[in-house]
């Protein structure tokens, strides 16, 4: 196994790596820096797009481009021009803010909602679903800080975290309707020294999660038992995604400055890749709208 720091833009708040097989690029966001980056690991070339406010999620569309969540709501994004099209606004001030999302095989966008009260976090976030026709449905509530949405390979199980309580939950998922049920604790990362942030599931069903503040990537079996732990060079690891031509490279975003007075580390905010894991990921689905 080898961990490499890549020559890609360093972020104030690196998040949401997303492999784009059609372009051969890794898209990732700098939420605090208000940017979307697109990095080509073969050439080292990077394109960067400025956003008008904090950007918290990026997923790809079947017809090209992306869907992003900003503080203002959900937008379509042209990855070449940076043009945004608002499709579902949030009020000002928002009752919650979107954070982290993924697409199911039917092209639905499941998005976490986090509390908008960062000074005194309350469980007023939740889980939402954007259907291809533009309708937004709330699926769950009682979430402080949403993270880690992803599915088991058969899509019968949906994973979703409340980072404030250090816990990833598992739900039963109905792929026919896009409904969730039977929420139960899946894993708690407190023993690893941090909280669950961005996550993905590999082709064998292992759940890989960035342990923010713990400086680790953890892989869990479907029964919740710990399979392996990777120690990263920095503590504020934020999200993970498999990519590369064979989907066997694990890209890892990190954050430069935390909100709890954490000391700044060398390499914090950089993009890393882990090679030689002996596992493969799966292509992320694209939004059908």
């Amino acid at each position: 196994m080898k961990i490499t720091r890549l020559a890609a833009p360093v972020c104030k708040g690196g998040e949401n790596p997303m492999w784009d097989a059609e372009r051969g690029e890794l898209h990732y966001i700098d939420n605090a820096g208000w940017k979307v980056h697109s990095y080509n690991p073969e050439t080292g070339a990077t394109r960067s797009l400025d956003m008008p406010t904090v950007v918290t999620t990026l997923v790809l569309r079947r017809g090209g481009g992306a869907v992003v969540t900003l503080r203002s709501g959900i937008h379509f994004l042209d990855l070449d021009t940076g043009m945004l099209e608002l499709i579902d606004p949030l009020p000002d001030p928002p009752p919650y803010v979107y954070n982290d999302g993924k697409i199911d095989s039917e092209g639905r966008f499941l998005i976490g909602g986090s509390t908008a009260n960062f000074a005194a976090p309350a469980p007023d976030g939740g889980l939402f679903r954007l259907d291809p026709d533009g309708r937004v449905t709330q699926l769950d509530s009682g979430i402080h800080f949403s993270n880690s949405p992803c599915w088991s390979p058969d899509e019968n199980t949906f994973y979703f975290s409340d980072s404030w309580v250090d816990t990833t939950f598992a739900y039963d998922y109905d792929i026919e309707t896009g409904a969730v049920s039977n929420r139960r604790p899946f894993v708690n990362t407190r023993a690893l020294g941090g909280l669950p942030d961005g996550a993905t599931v590999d082709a064998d069903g292992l759940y890989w999660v960035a342990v923010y503040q713990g400086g680790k990537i953890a892989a869990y079996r479907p029964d919740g038992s710990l399979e392996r732990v990777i120690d990263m060079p920095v503590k504020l690891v934020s999200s993970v995604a498999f990519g590369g031509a064979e989907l066997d490279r694990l890209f890892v975003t990190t954050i430069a400055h935390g909100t709890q007075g954490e000391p700044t580390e060398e390499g914090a905010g950089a993009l890393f890749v882990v090679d030689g894991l002996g596992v493969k990921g799966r292509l992320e689905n694209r939004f059908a709208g």
Side-chain angles (χ1 to χ4, degrees):
M1 184 191 77
K2 180 182 180 182
I3 301 173
T4 305
R5 176 179 172 178
L6 297 171
V10 172
C11 296
K12 295 179 181 178
E15 281 277 8
N16 199 133
M18 178 66 60
W19 180 250
D20 186 339
E22 293 182 4
R23 290 175 175 253
E25 293 179 332
L26 184 84
H27 308 294
Y28 64 106
I29 64 176
D30 184 350
N31 55 21
W34 300 11
K35 292 182 183 297
V36 170
H37 299 299
S38 299
Y39 169 74
N40 186 316
E42 294 297 322
T43 66
T46 304
R47 301 189 321 279
S48 298
L49 300 173
D50 292 320
M51 297 291 104
T53 183
V54 175
V55 53
T56 55
T57 312
L58 180 148
V59 293
L60 299 172
R61 296 178 68 191
R62 291 181 183 176
V67 187
V68 293
T69 58
L70 307 179
R71 284 288 185 261
S72 50
I74 307 170
H75 303 250
F76 290 147
L77 170 67
D78 187 312
L79 288 167
D80 294 313
T81 67
M83 183 175 296
L84 291 163
E85 177 187 349
L86 180 63
I87 59 173
D88 188 73
L90 282 172
D92 186 17
Y96 50 83
V97 293
Y98 289 124
N99 188 60
D100 216 349
K102 292 282 177 63
I103 309 293
D104 73 8
S105 61
E106 294 297 313
R108 308 180 190 99
F109 187 13
L110 267 66
I111 321 167
S114 292
T115 180
N117 188 353
F118 299 106
D124 47 16
L127 176 64
F128 301 84
R129 187 187 71 233
L130 173 67
D131 291 328
D133 63 5
R135 290 180 299 174
V136 176
T137 303
Q138 184 163 354
L139 301 178
D140 200 8
S141 59
I143 300 296
H144 298 78
F145 289 119
S146 62
N147 269 307
S148 322
C150 49
W151 285 265
S152 60
D154 62 10
E155 288 186 297
N156 289 332
T157 303
F158 177 70
Y159 301 110
F160 184 60
S161 297
D162 187 341
S163 298
W164 185 252
V165 295
D166 305 325
T167 300
T168 299
F169 299 98
Y171 297 76
D172 294 336
Y173 191 73
D174 187 335
I175 189 60
E176 297 298 323
T177 64
V180 297
S181 60
N182 188 28
R183 178 171 119 182
R184 66 271 187 193
F186 174 56
V187 296
N188 185 292
T189 59
R190 192 173 299 124
L192 296 179
L195 51 90
D197 205 329
T200 191
V201 174
D202 70 19
D204 295 321
L206 288 180
Y207 169 81
W208 295 79
V209 61
V211 183
Y212 180 80
Q213 296 177 331
K216 295 175 173 63
I217 306 297
Y220 293 89
R221 303 181 189 98
D223 64 3
S225 59
L226 185 62
E227 169 75 15
R228 65 195 296 185
V229 175
I230 300 168
D231 290 309
M232 294 297 295
V234 296
K235 297 292 185 183
L236 302 184
V237 291
S238 56
S239 194
V240 293
F242 285 98
E246 302 299 323
L247 295 178
D248 58 353
R249 313 187 76 194
L250 187 68
F251 292 92
V252 183
T253 52
T254 66
I255 289 176
H257 305 287
T259 59
Q260 307 299 319
E262 299 95 341
T264 300
E265 300 176 284
E266 173 65 28
L271 178 67
F272 294 85
V273 67
V274 185
D275 289 302
L277 289 171
V279 300
K280 291 188 177 183
R282 300 173 299 140
L283 284 177
E284 294 289 350
N285 297 307
R286 294 174 177 246
F287 184 60

